[in-house]
Amino acid sequence: MRTRFGDFILNSSPPLPMPVGVYAGLEITGDSVRQAVTEAQSQFRAVMALHERFHTPVMLTAMDLSVEAEAFGCRIRMTEDEIPSVIGRRVTNAAEIKALPIPAVGSGRTAVSLETARRLVMAADGTPVLGGVIGPFSLACRIFGVSELLEISLTEPVVLIALLEKVTRFLTQYLSVFCDLGVHGVIMAEPAAGLLSPRGLAQFSSAYVKQIIDAVVTPDFTVILHNCGAKLVHLPKVLESGAEIYHFGAPMNLAQALAQVSSEVILAGNLDPTGVFFSDTQAEVIARTRELMQIAAGYKNFIPSSGCDLPPHTPLDNIAAFYETVNGSMG
Amino acid sequence: MEHKLDEIFNAVVNGDADAAKLNVQSALMDGMDAERILNEGLIASMKEVGRLFEEGEYFVPEMLISARAMQGGMSILRPVLVEQDIQPIGKVVIGTVKGDLHDIGKNLVSMMLEGAGFQVYDLKTDVAPEKFLEAVQTYQPDILGMSALLTTTMNNMKATIRLLEEKGARENIKIIVGGAPLTQAFAEQFGADGFAQDASQAAALAKALMDGSRG
């Protein structure tokens, strides 16, 4: 289904730059990561600061893959300056999965994500707003334990499926609430699915993402599927999810991916957020961005972006270099 | 006897831990040399798993269950190896650095190193420089491996290396680093001896460093 956000992308010339990163805005506001992930007002200010500084064509809420896991009861480690991480395992076997309650939308910090999105929509002045959520397989990993879940994907798939069904029900409800807020869509992050074989990815990620997409996507609300670990070999199975837009990381061969997908499918990515945005010099960012634009030359169905979330303390000058290069105003 | 080795090999490559244990037990009972079971059965099979991963046929789940099968076989073999005083090819201390709780990459590297014949001391996650130092002083490893998945924590690799230098513990070990934000350039900047992109490369790198050390 073509959505208003998809139209917005396809009708843009030159391509619209959309690095994924809210934490860089904290360099401007001076708030901590802890504040941004626990206070909607802080996260809102970070997004607006980036929007004002770089005239961002899209506004994104923060990528924080602990939010939904925390709502399910996972223990979280939170520090001032790091994106929160999940500690331990919430469930470890079939019985515990069966007993695991599905949280209400708005539980824990899902309320922060939703409130941030709501404030952005109110302030947006026509700029599209995208929310951020985790994908079903990646959420299941955080609840069960990454290594353990990857193993049972081969040894006890029935147990994994039971958990996937629960998280999918929650995510469907969660995305519906985002939709009701008036955002243009969400970026759904499924990084753990990139660790699976193509067949495993199809069975344990795409199938459930598709269920969510079929339930929530409307002409006004899109789902952008982010998988920063996926490689070209995964592409056909990732596409089975039926998303309108796919956001890939550095491991994806973007040139070949663009050649393989139909013009109806929009791809985004994929400059390395740490290797390029965080670590490189401004001149190197310009050079890598130009290479990316050359790869995508002639394709309207492409969004130049980072391959994943920009880490905290990413130099603002590097982000500026990226925007200016894509917009064509640098040499 | 050869078919016993094939059965061990196939059990590990297929990720069948029960078969790996049974076949190692059976080979020992048939009188097969323990070192041969280790080298031509278990280590050879993990080398094949590494190749399958590099070739894009195996992915992380397949590696994990193969490594689990290898560990199962090793649990039967280890007492015999100890009894016969058969030494590992080297000792490795490994951990995820302070402030970082990610462990999937580190776990895979541990398993591949064990599968390559190393004795591995896994310090788990959130390991402070002082704890790495203590482990190096206690276990006297040949190699120290450090993992980080966050840009904000990877600088603790540099801090750890500096501390080892300060305390005179740097000279006799090789240090390898890995994790998503790491690059060869960062590894060199931190003073590490090597950088590995994935678990299979880490095992190969560790072996190469050991071979280099033996001169």
Side-chain angles (χ1 to χ4, degrees):
Chain A
M1 181 191 296
R2 177 62 66 230
T3 70
R4 58 177 173 158
F5 188 75
D7 277 336
F8 174 67
I9 294 300
L10 292 172
N11 292 332
S12 300
S13 186
L16 291 175
M18 192 184 77
V20 177
V22 168
Y23 303 111
L26 301 174
E27 299 297 299
I28 304 170
T29 66
D31 284 350
S32 66
V33 172
R34 182 196 288 265
Q35 284 175 288
V37 301
T38 56
E39 300 166 23
Q41 179 62 14
S42 174
Q43 194 177 131
F44 168 77
R45 287 188 328 125
V47 177
M48 292 305 294
L50 290 170
H51 181 59
E52 282 154 21
R53 174 75 66 102
F54 301 117
H55 308 292
T56 60
V58 183
M59 294 199 285
L60 314 173
T61 64
M63 187 183 277
D64 174 357
L65 302 190
S66 70
V67 167
E68 297 85 349
E70 189 182 36
F72 268 91
C74 292
R75 286 187 305 133
I76 303 298
R77 172 161 147 165
M78 200 173 296
T79 64
E80 282 306 302
D81 232 14
E82 280 157 17
I83 297 159
S85 18
V86 172
I87 306 168
R89 303 172 66 193
R90 175 72 174 88
V91 294
T92 63
N93 57 52
E96 289 177 0
I97 290 170
K98 192 172 178 187
L100 180 69
I102 298 175
V105 173
S107 298
R109 290 181 297 121
T110 61
V112 173
S113 300
L114 291 167
E115 178 58 16
T116 303
R118 188 192 70 79
R119 292 184 189 213
L120 288 171
V121 169
M122 298 295 289
D125 66 16
T127 303
V129 173
L130 298 173
V133 302
I134 194 171
F137 184 78
S138 301
L139 177 53
C141 278
R142 275 152 178 79
I143 294 171
F144 196 84
V146 178
S147 298
E148 293 84 359
L149 200 82
L150 290 170
E151 284 192 52
I152 69 164
S153 73
L154 294 177
T155 59
E156 292 180 271
V158 171
V159 174
L160 168 52
I161 286 167
L163 183 53
L164 284 169
E165 285 171 356
K166 282 206 169 175
V167 302
T168 298
R169 286 211 296 276
F170 170 76
L171 289 171
T172 303
Q173 293 163 10
Y174 189 30
L175 266 69
S176 298
V177 176
F178 268 107
C179 180
D180 291 343
L181 291 176
V183 298
H184 280 58
V186 297
I187 298 179
M188 176 183 285
E190 268 285 61
L195 299 175
L196 296 165
S197 67
R199 190 166 82 167
L201 185 148
Q203 188 177 1
F204 302 121
S205 174
S206 293
Y208 294 92
V209 174
K210 186 172 191 320
Q211 280 185 37
I212 297 167
I213 285 174
D214 287 348
V216 305
V217 166
T218 70
D220 292 327
F221 184 82
T222 193
V223 171
I224 298 170
L225 180 60
H226 164 81
N227 187 333
C228 51
K231 298 177 183 173
L232 194 66
V233 69
H234 293 107
L235 183 61
K237 297 301 182 183
V238 173
L239 295 176
E240 287 181 7
S241 64
E244 184 182 24
I245 303 171
Y246 297 88
H247 188 277
F248 291 120
M252 177 57 72
N253 184 321
L254 214 47
Q256 293 200 33
L258 281 165
Q260 286 184 23
V261 302
S262 83
S263 58
E264 295 299 302
V265 171
I266 301 169
L267 301 187
N270 68 337
L271 288 185
D272 190 329
T274 48
V276 175
F277 281 91
F278 183 83
S279 309
D280 268 347
T281 63
Q282 206 175 347
E284 285 164 339
V285 171
I286 292 169
R288 298 289 88 72
T289 306
R290 284 187 178 147
E291 284 168 11
L292 178 69
M293 299 308 289
Q294 273 178 327
I295 286 169
Y299 289 100
K300 288 192 74 61
N301 55 327
F302 177 66
I303 306 172
S305 181
S306 55
C308 194
D309 197 27
L310 301 185
H313 310 300
T314 296
L316 294 171
D317 284 348
N318 283 359
I319 300 174
F322 173 77
Y323 274 110
E324 288 163 18
T325 307
V326 174
N327 290 334
S329 61
M330 272 205 172
Chain B
M1 278 275 200
E2 296 305 317
H3 82 275
K4 287 283 180 193
L5 288 173
D6 288 343
E7 281 170 356
I8 293 167
F9 184 98
N10 290 334
V12 172
V13 172
N14 293 331
D16 188 340
D18 290 337
K21 286 185 208 172
L22 269 169
N23 286 311
V24 167
Q25 187 68 55
S26 171
L28 284 169
M29 285 170 64
D30 284 355
M32 189 179 291
D33 178 63
E35 202 166 4
R36 196 173 173 213
I37 296 172
L38 174 67
N39 290 328
E40 295 178 43
L42 297 177
I43 291 179
S45 60
M46 285 307 293
K47 195 170 172 187
E48 173 65 2
V49 170
R51 185 194 70 78
L52 289 165
F53 180 77
E54 292 293 320
E55 298 285 314
E57 290 188 44
Y58 269 25
F59 295 79
V60 172
E62 287 81 6
M63 282 183 83
L64 283 171
I65 64 167
S66 286
R68 197 67 72 201
M70 178 275 298
Q71 287 175 333
M74 277 299 285
S75 70
I76 304 297
L77 195 61
R78 193 173 286 112
V80 181
L81 295 172
V82 169
E83 194 186 302
Q84 294 180 8
D85 198 28
I86 292 166
Q87 299 295 324
I89 65 168
K91 283 193 284 186
V92 179
V93 164
I94 191 169
T96 300
V97 298
K98 183 174 166 59
D100 203 322
L101 300 178
H102 297 94
D103 67 354
I104 177 74
K106 186 264 300 171
N107 289 347
L108 270 173
V109 170
S110 285
M111 290 172 168
M112 292 302 287
L113 287 171
E114 204 181 333
F118 286 91
Q119 183 169 17
V120 179
Y121 299 94
D122 187 344
L123 304 182
K124 309 288 183 202
T125 60
D126 191 21
V127 183
E130 293 75 18
K131 195 168 170 196
F132 275 120
L133 171 66
E134 187 189 330
V136 165
Q137 290 169 335
T138 303
Y139 298 117
Q140 305 277 305
D142 301 284
I143 294 173
L144 171 65
M146 292 190 282
S147 171
L149 206 79
L150 303 172
T151 51
T152 47
T153 59
M154 67 182 186
N155 283 323
N156 285 321
M157 292 180 173
K158 191 173 174 181
T160 300
I161 294 172
R162 293 292 165 269
L163 182 64
L164 292 173
E165 287 169 345
E166 208 182 298
K167 301 295 182 186
R170 173 68 177 98
E171 258 181 45
N172 297 323
I173 58 168
K174 298 293 186 188
I175 299 178
I176 62 177
V177 296
L182 269 294
T183 59
Q184 184 64 45
F186 273 129
E188 286 166 17
Q189 206 184 97
F190 293 162
D193 297 296
F195 159 72
Q197 195 99 22
D198 58 47
S200 179
Q201 287 186 19
L205 175 60
K207 285 183 72 178
L209 288 170
M210 291 298 300
D211 291 341
S213 295
R214 290 193 195 103

Short mmCIF file of all heavy atoms in Angstrom, two decimals, chain A residues 76-108:
data_model
loop_
_atom_site.label_atom_id
_atom_site.label_comp_id
_atom_site.label_asym_id
_atom_site.label_seq_id
_atom_site.Cartn_x
_atom_site.Cartn_y
_atom_site.Cartn_z
N ILE A 76 15.98 -3.41 33.57
CA ILE A 76 16.68 -2.50 32.68
C ILE A 76 17.84 -1.87 33.43
O ILE A 76 17.71 -1.49 34.59
CB ILE A 76 15.74 -1.37 32.20
CG1 ILE A 76 14.51 -1.95 31.52
CG2 ILE A 76 16.46 -0.40 31.27
CD1 ILE A 76 14.78 -2.74 30.27
N ARG A 77 18.97 -1.73 32.74
CA ARG A 77 20.06 -0.98 33.33
C ARG A 77 20.09 0.39 32.66
O ARG A 77 20.15 0.48 31.44
CB ARG A 77 21.38 -1.68 33.09
CG ARG A 77 22.56 -0.82 33.51
CD ARG A 77 23.72 -1.71 33.70
NE ARG A 77 24.95 -1.05 33.35
CZ ARG A 77 26.12 -1.54 33.70
NH1 ARG A 77 26.19 -2.67 34.36
NH2 ARG A 77 27.21 -0.91 33.37
N MET A 78 20.07 1.42 33.46
CA MET A 78 20.02 2.76 32.91
C MET A 78 21.12 3.61 33.55
O MET A 78 21.27 3.61 34.76
CB MET A 78 18.65 3.38 33.21
CG MET A 78 18.33 4.53 32.29
SD MET A 78 16.69 5.18 32.45
CE MET A 78 15.65 3.85 31.97
N THR A 79 21.87 4.29 32.71
CA THR A 79 22.89 5.22 33.22
C THR A 79 22.63 6.58 32.61
O THR A 79 21.76 6.74 31.76
CB THR A 79 24.30 4.75 32.86
OG1 THR A 79 24.44 4.78 31.43
CG2 THR A 79 24.58 3.34 33.35
N GLU A 80 23.40 7.56 33.04
CA GLU A 80 23.17 8.92 32.56
C GLU A 80 23.41 9.04 31.06
O GLU A 80 22.71 9.76 30.37
CB GLU A 80 24.11 9.90 33.28
CG GLU A 80 23.67 10.27 34.68
CD GLU A 80 22.24 10.79 34.75
OE1 GLU A 80 21.93 11.79 34.09
OE2 GLU A 80 21.41 10.16 35.44
N ASP A 81 24.43 8.33 30.58
CA ASP A 81 24.93 8.64 29.24
C ASP A 81 24.84 7.53 28.22
O ASP A 81 25.38 7.67 27.12
CB ASP A 81 26.40 9.04 29.37
CG ASP A 81 26.66 10.37 28.70
OD1 ASP A 81 25.66 11.07 28.39
OD2 ASP A 81 27.83 10.69 28.48
N GLU A 82 24.19 6.42 28.59
CA GLU A 82 24.11 5.31 27.65
C GLU A 82 22.66 4.92 27.42
O GLU A 82 21.83 5.00 28.31
CB GLU A 82 24.88 4.10 28.17
CG GLU A 82 26.37 4.23 27.91
CD GLU A 82 27.18 3.38 28.85
OE1 GLU A 82 26.62 2.46 29.47
OE2 GLU A 82 28.39 3.62 28.96
N ILE A 83 22.43 4.44 26.20
CA ILE A 83 21.09 3.95 25.90
C ILE A 83 20.83 2.75 26.80
O ILE A 83 21.70 1.89 26.96
CB ILE A 83 21.01 3.59 24.40
CG1 ILE A 83 21.25 4.85 23.58
CG2 ILE A 83 19.67 2.98 24.05
CD1 ILE A 83 21.69 4.61 22.17
N PRO A 84 19.64 2.67 27.42
CA PRO A 84 19.40 1.59 28.39
C PRO A 84 19.54 0.21 27.77
O PRO A 84 19.31 0.02 26.57
CB PRO A 84 17.95 1.82 28.82
CG PRO A 84 17.64 3.23 28.47
CD PRO A 84 18.49 3.57 27.29
N SER A 85 19.95 -0.77 28.62
CA SER A 85 20.01 -2.15 28.13
C SER A 85 19.23 -3.07 29.06
O SER A 85 19.07 -2.79 30.25
CB SER A 85 21.43 -2.65 27.99
OG SER A 85 22.34 -1.91 28.70
N VAL A 86 18.79 -4.17 28.47
CA VAL A 86 18.03 -5.17 29.22
C VAL A 86 19.02 -6.08 29.96
O VAL A 86 20.05 -6.47 29.42
CB VAL A 86 17.16 -6.01 28.25
CG1 VAL A 86 16.50 -7.18 28.98
CG2 VAL A 86 16.12 -5.13 27.59
N ILE A 87 18.68 -6.38 31.21
CA ILE A 87 19.53 -7.28 32.02
C ILE A 87 18.77 -8.58 32.24
O ILE A 87 17.58 -8.57 32.56
CB ILE A 87 19.79 -6.67 33.42
CG1 ILE A 87 20.35 -5.27 33.33
CG2 ILE A 87 20.73 -7.56 34.22
CD1 ILE A 87 20.34 -4.57 34.67
N GLY A 88 19.47 -9.69 32.04
CA GLY A 88 18.88 -10.98 32.40
C GLY A 88 17.77 -11.40 31.47
O GLY A 88 17.62 -10.89 30.36
N ARG A 89 17.00 -12.38 31.93
CA ARG A 89 15.94 -12.97 31.13
C ARG A 89 14.63 -12.88 31.88
O ARG A 89 14.54 -13.26 33.03
CB ARG A 89 16.27 -14.45 30.84
CG ARG A 89 17.60 -14.66 30.13
CD ARG A 89 17.95 -16.12 30.04
NE ARG A 89 17.01 -16.82 29.17
CZ ARG A 89 16.91 -18.14 29.10
NH1 ARG A 89 17.66 -18.91 29.85
NH2 ARG A 89 16.04 -18.70 28.27
N ARG A 90 13.62 -12.39 31.23
CA ARG A 90 12.29 -12.28 31.85
C ARG A 90 11.60 -13.63 31.92
O ARG A 90 10.89 -13.94 32.88
CB ARG A 90 11.45 -11.28 31.04
CG ARG A 90 10.01 -11.15 31.47
CD ARG A 90 9.89 -10.42 32.81
NE ARG A 90 8.48 -10.18 33.11
CZ ARG A 90 7.70 -11.04 33.77
NH1 ARG A 90 8.19 -12.21 34.19
NH2 ARG A 90 6.44 -10.75 34.00
N VAL A 91 11.75 -14.43 30.86
CA VAL A 91 11.17 -15.78 30.83
C VAL A 91 12.21 -16.73 30.29
O VAL A 91 13.08 -16.32 29.50
CB VAL A 91 9.89 -15.86 29.97
CG1 VAL A 91 8.76 -15.06 30.58
CG2 VAL A 91 10.14 -15.43 28.54
N THR A 92 12.11 -17.99 30.70
CA THR A 92 13.14 -18.95 30.28
C THR A 92 12.58 -20.25 29.72
O THR A 92 13.33 -21.11 29.28
CB THR A 92 14.05 -19.33 31.47
OG1 THR A 92 13.26 -19.98 32.46
CG2 THR A 92 14.71 -18.09 32.08
N ASN A 93 11.26 -20.43 29.76
CA ASN A 93 10.69 -21.69 29.26
C ASN A 93 9.24 -21.50 28.83
O ASN A 93 8.67 -20.40 28.97
CB ASN A 93 10.78 -22.78 30.34
CG ASN A 93 10.08 -22.37 31.63
OD1 ASN A 93 8.91 -21.95 31.60
ND2 ASN A 93 10.77 -22.49 32.75
N ALA A 94 8.67 -22.58 28.30
CA ALA A 94 7.32 -22.51 27.73
C ALA A 94 6.27 -22.10 28.76
O ALA A 94 5.36 -21.32 28.48
CB ALA A 94 6.96 -23.85 27.10
N ALA A 95 6.39 -22.62 29.97
CA ALA A 95 5.39 -22.32 31.01
C ALA A 95 5.42 -20.83 31.36
O ALA A 95 4.39 -20.19 31.53
CB ALA A 95 5.65 -23.19 32.24
N GLU A 96 6.64 -20.30 31.47
CA GLU A 96 6.76 -18.87 31.82
C GLU A 96 6.26 -17.99 30.69
O GLU A 96 5.68 -16.94 30.93
CB GLU A 96 8.22 -18.55 32.15
CG GLU A 96 8.67 -19.16 33.48
CD GLU A 96 10.13 -18.92 33.79
OE1 GLU A 96 10.82 -18.28 32.97
OE2 GLU A 96 10.58 -19.39 34.84
N ILE A 97 6.47 -18.43 29.46
CA ILE A 97 5.95 -17.67 28.32
C ILE A 97 4.42 -17.66 28.37
O ILE A 97 3.78 -16.63 28.17
CB ILE A 97 6.47 -18.24 26.99
CG1 ILE A 97 7.96 -17.95 26.84
CG2 ILE A 97 5.69 -17.68 25.80
CD1 ILE A 97 8.61 -18.68 25.67
N LYS A 98 3.86 -18.80 28.66
CA LYS A 98 2.39 -18.91 28.71
C LYS A 98 1.83 -17.99 29.79
O LYS A 98 0.78 -17.35 29.61
CB LYS A 98 2.00 -20.36 29.01
CG LYS A 98 0.53 -20.64 28.81
CD LYS A 98 0.21 -22.12 28.93
CE LYS A 98 -1.30 -22.30 28.76
NZ LYS A 98 -1.73 -23.66 29.03
N ALA A 99 2.53 -17.86 30.90
CA ALA A 99 2.04 -17.05 32.02
C ALA A 99 2.36 -15.56 31.86
O ALA A 99 1.85 -14.73 32.62
CB ALA A 99 2.64 -17.57 33.32
N LEU A 100 3.19 -15.22 30.89
CA LEU A 100 3.65 -13.83 30.73
C LEU A 100 2.49 -12.93 30.34
O LEU A 100 1.88 -13.12 29.29
CB LEU A 100 4.74 -13.78 29.66
CG LEU A 100 5.36 -12.43 29.33
CD1 LEU A 100 6.19 -11.93 30.50
CD2 LEU A 100 6.20 -12.52 28.07
N PRO A 101 2.18 -11.93 31.16
CA PRO A 101 1.08 -11.04 30.79
C PRO A 101 1.50 -10.07 29.69
O PRO A 101 2.65 -9.62 29.64
CB PRO A 101 0.78 -10.29 32.09
CG PRO A 101 1.98 -10.44 32.96
CD PRO A 101 2.77 -11.60 32.46
N ILE A 102 0.55 -9.76 28.83
CA ILE A 102 0.80 -8.75 27.79
C ILE A 102 0.51 -7.39 28.41
O ILE A 102 -0.59 -7.15 28.92
CB ILE A 102 -0.10 -8.98 26.56
CG1 ILE A 102 0.21 -10.35 25.95
CG2 ILE A 102 0.11 -7.88 25.53
CD1 ILE A 102 -0.71 -10.72 24.79
N PRO A 103 1.48 -6.49 28.41
CA PRO A 103 1.26 -5.20 29.08
C PRO A 103 0.27 -4.33 28.31
O PRO A 103 0.04 -4.52 27.11
CB PRO A 103 2.66 -4.57 29.07
CG PRO A 103 3.35 -5.19 27.92
CD PRO A 103 2.81 -6.58 27.79
N ALA A 104 -0.29 -3.39 29.01
CA ALA A 104 -1.16 -2.41 28.35
C ALA A 104 -0.29 -1.39 27.63
O ALA A 104 0.81 -1.05 28.08
CB ALA A 104 -2.01 -1.70 29.40
N VAL A 105 -0.76 -0.91 26.51
CA VAL A 105 -0.05 0.16 25.81
C VAL A 105 -0.04 1.38 26.72
O VAL A 105 -1.07 1.75 27.28
CB VAL A 105 -0.72 0.48 24.46
CG1 VAL A 105 -0.07 1.71 23.83
CG2 VAL A 105 -0.64 -0.71 23.53
N GLY A 106 1.12 2.00 26.85
CA GLY A 106 1.25 3.10 27.80
C GLY A 106 1.97 2.69 29.06
O GLY A 106 2.34 3.54 29.87
N SER A 107 2.21 1.37 29.23
CA SER A 107 2.96 0.89 30.39
C SER A 107 4.39 1.36 30.30
O SER A 107 4.98 1.41 29.22
CB SER A 107 2.97 -0.64 30.41
OG SER A 107 1.68 -1.15 30.54
N GLY A 108 4.93 1.69 31.46
CA GLY A 108 6.35 2.06 31.52
C GLY A 108 6.67 3.19 30.56
O GLY A 108 5.89 4.14 30.38
#
